[in-house]
Amino acid sequence: MSMKAELFKEIVTFIKEYKGLTFYCLDELEKLYPSVSKDALASILSYEFQSKMRAVYSKSQQARNKYWEAYNKGMKAKEDGVILRISKDEGIAPCLIAKLILLEYLERSKKVEDENVLQTVNRYLKNTSLIPDGDLAVEVFMCTVFDNLYSPAADVIRHATGQQYEIQLHKEVTKLNLAFRDEEYLRRWGYDKTPDIKLEVPISIDGFLVNWIESKGLFGSEKVHREYTESQYLSYWNRFGPGLVIYWFGYVETIIDPNNKSFLIRDHMPTDIITIGNK
């Protein structure tokens, strides 16, 4: 389903102005926009917040000592959820703040060699019971629970979601009795950038020729669509001709260009198709 540009801008504005954890921001979005699917809202939130984090996180690394001192001050005051509070105050994801504090903790304690610090931090985030300091372990664990964008669990869910919709696409294309080659097959033949599906026989959808299909388990905003067009879709078009892009969580109406002859955009796999060459 396409989303009106005005509604999309309203959602983005709310996300940018929200003061607090993204965990709760998603709850607020669901209450404010009940007509929009949770998947679409979560996808928009994820992209907008991660764009913000890319801009501020490099600067935040310079403030590691400040976060470390704030953490220790909170612990001495026997405050619960110190890192979560710092995250909210600074507008930075809990697990990113936790990562910086863990880096400072390891460097100050000299518990591991310098070249192994980042590996150790990532291991601690995945399994907080390995952190030698029990209080810090509890604090970091709370971050992994309340961070729905940067926690190890969030990474797994994102990857699983992408795979889930690729599998769904395969099932629907198979149900339509369409012969195709998948991404793995194409890579074995030397293609570095490949769509999820390359049809063996082209199909027609609403009079538009389709040679390939790309599945995206996310919401198609203008920025998302522009990035994927430049990094993927145009390459597919150059190699295989026109195709179909599916944004399973919907898309903003402004990405539809009636003059675009490179690919169609849908939020589902169309069933009203014509196989080219069939009578």
Side-chain angles (χ1 to χ4, degrees):
M1 172 182 287
S2 64
M3 179 184 291
K4 294 291 184 182
E6 294 77 13
L7 175 57
F8 176 74
K9 290 177 182 177
E10 188 178 320
I11 292 171
V12 170
T13 298
F14 179 86
I15 292 170
K16 289 182 176 180
E17 295 179 351
Y18 186 80
K19 304 299 182 183
L21 303 177
T22 56
F23 185 90
Y24 296 114
C25 183
L26 182 57
D27 287 340
E28 293 297 319
L29 286 170
E30 288 184 75
K31 294 174 185 175
L32 287 170
Y33 305 101
S35 63
V36 182
S37 73
K38 180 177 180 178
D39 286 334
L41 292 172
S43 182
I44 296 170
L45 172 61
S46 176
Y47 182 85
E48 293 300 325
F49 192 78
Q50 290 187 60
S51 295
K52 175 185 174 182
M53 287 301 96
R54 283 194 290 271
V56 303
Y57 185 59
S58 59
K59 297 178 183 177
S60 70
Q61 294 193 62
Q62 300 170 7
R64 273 168 51 180
N65 188 59
K66 180 182 78 169
Y67 301 148
W68 175 254
E69 290 180 356
Y71 164 74
N72 280 288
K73 182 178 179 180
M75 295 305 292
K76 286 178 182 177
K78 299 189 182 302
E79 177 186 349
D80 291 327
V82 178
I83 302 180
L84 287 175
R85 190 259 303 160
I86 297 172
S87 167
K88 182 178 178 180
D89 292 345
E90 299 291 334
I92 298 173
C95 282
L96 295 184
I97 291 286
K99 188 172 184 178
L100 294 176
I101 289 174
L102 282 170
L103 283 168
E104 196 69 16
Y105 163 74
L106 288 172
E107 290 186 4
R108 286 171 179 264
S109 63
K110 302 296 182 182
K111 290 183 178 296
V112 296
E113 298 294 330
D114 290 345
E115 61 270 19
N116 297 323
V117 169
L118 281 175
Q119 292 178 0
T120 302
V121 166
N122 290 330
R123 190 166 68 251
Y124 283 175
L125 283 170
K126 291 179 180 177
N127 185 357
T128 57
S129 67
L130 297 175
I131 301 174
D133 184 314
D135 292 332
L136 180 56
V138 171
E139 285 284 322
V140 175
F141 175 74
M142 290 176 66
C143 291
T144 65
V145 171
F146 284 92
D147 193 334
N148 56 354
L149 295 182
Y150 285 92
S151 69
D155 290 338
V156 171
I157 291 171
R158 261 193 301 274
H159 181 69
T161 299
Q163 286 190 322
Q164 173 189 341
Y165 283 95
E166 286 180 22
I167 291 170
Q168 181 172 329
L169 175 60
H170 281 212
K171 287 181 178 178
E172 295 193 18
V173 171
T174 301
K175 191 184 298 184
L176 291 169
N177 294 318
L178 301 178
F180 65 91
R181 299 293 187 182
D182 61 17
E183 189 175 14
E184 183 178 344
Y185 176 90
L186 294 171
R187 284 182 176 170
R188 285 204 303 267
W189 283 90
Y191 293 102
D192 54 343
K193 291 186 178 181
T194 62
D196 292 314
I197 280 180
K198 168 64 175 69
L199 296 169
E200 293 285 81
V201 178
I203 60 175
S204 174
I205 300 174
D206 297 332
F208 191 94
L209 186 68
V210 169
N211 293 283
W212 52 267
I213 307 173
E214 180 70 7
S215 167
K216 295 298 181 190
L218 43 74
F219 181 88
S221 68
E222 287 188 12
K223 291 179 180 178
V224 166
H225 184 64
R226 187 184 310 118
E227 289 173 6
Y228 277 119
T229 296
E230 294 174 356
S231 65
Q232 294 182 354
Y233 308 154
L234 290 180
S235 295
Y236 304 161
W237 174 71
N238 284 329
R239 293 178 179 179
F240 306 116
L244 166 67
V245 174
I246 301 177
Y247 290 113
W248 293 99
F249 301 160
Y251 52 87
V252 64
E253 61 182 2
T254 49
I255 69 172
I256 300 297
D257 179 3
N259 298 316
N260 179 21
K261 304 301 180 183
S262 303
F263 47 82
L264 284 178
I265 298 172
R266 294 289 188 272
D267 62 359
H268 63 282
M269 178 62 205
T271 56
D272 186 14
I273 64 174
I274 297 173
T275 303
I276 303 302
N278 285 4
K279 295 183 180 180

